[in-house]
Amino acid sequence: MTQFLPIIEELADAPDHAARARWLLEVPLAVIIRDQVTIQRLLSAAGFHEGLGYFAAEIAALSATRGRDGLAPSTIRMTREYARIGIQIIARGGAEGEKYAAAG
């Protein structure tokens, strides 16, 4: 048992980057905002650079000033989607996931 909330403890205990990627895709966005400092530290300590990139894109999208259409600027939305695609590949254990599973 650690000092983390159970949902954050799941990330701390993740055995590899594929598990970390799945966690990032599944965790409620409210948790990402609330615990962003802890999450960033855990991803950094694990050396999960792609996860840090996706995490930064999510934070940027969640923190962006929205336009009249209620959406973040298109550049932020596109960055977020490209980062999400990369994380999805890792989460599924694709070529990137296999590469990083050993490093996890």
Side-chain angles (χ1 to χ4, degrees):
M1 183 68 118
T2 66
Q3 73 278 13
F4 301 129
L5 294 173
I7 197 162
I8 301 298
E9 198 166 313
E10 290 175 20
L11 176 61
D13 294 341
D16 55 29
H17 289 341
R20 290 180 193 95
R22 286 189 298 274
W23 186 90
L24 283 168
L25 291 169
E26 296 170 2
V27 69
L29 295 175
V31 172
I32 286 179
I33 288 291
R34 182 190 67 206
D35 297 312
Q36 60 185 292
V37 172
T38 301
I39 294 167
Q40 184 172 10
R41 286 182 186 158
L42 291 170
L43 295 173
S44 184
F48 189 22
H49 304 291
E50 290 76 11
L52 284 166
Y54 169 73
F55 181 71
E58 276 293 0
I59 293 294
L62 292 168
S63 303
T65 300
R66 297 179 295 157
R68 290 183 177 156
D69 59 1
L71 299 172
S74 62
T75 53
I76 290 178
R77 292 192 326 261
M78 288 177 15
T79 300
R80 181 187 197 187
E81 288 309 310
Y82 284 125
R84 182 176 295 155
I85 290 167
I87 289 298
Q88 288 170 334
I89 292 168
I90 295 169
R92 287 192 303 257
E96 293 294 309
E98 293 167 5
K99 174 181 171 185
Y100 295 112

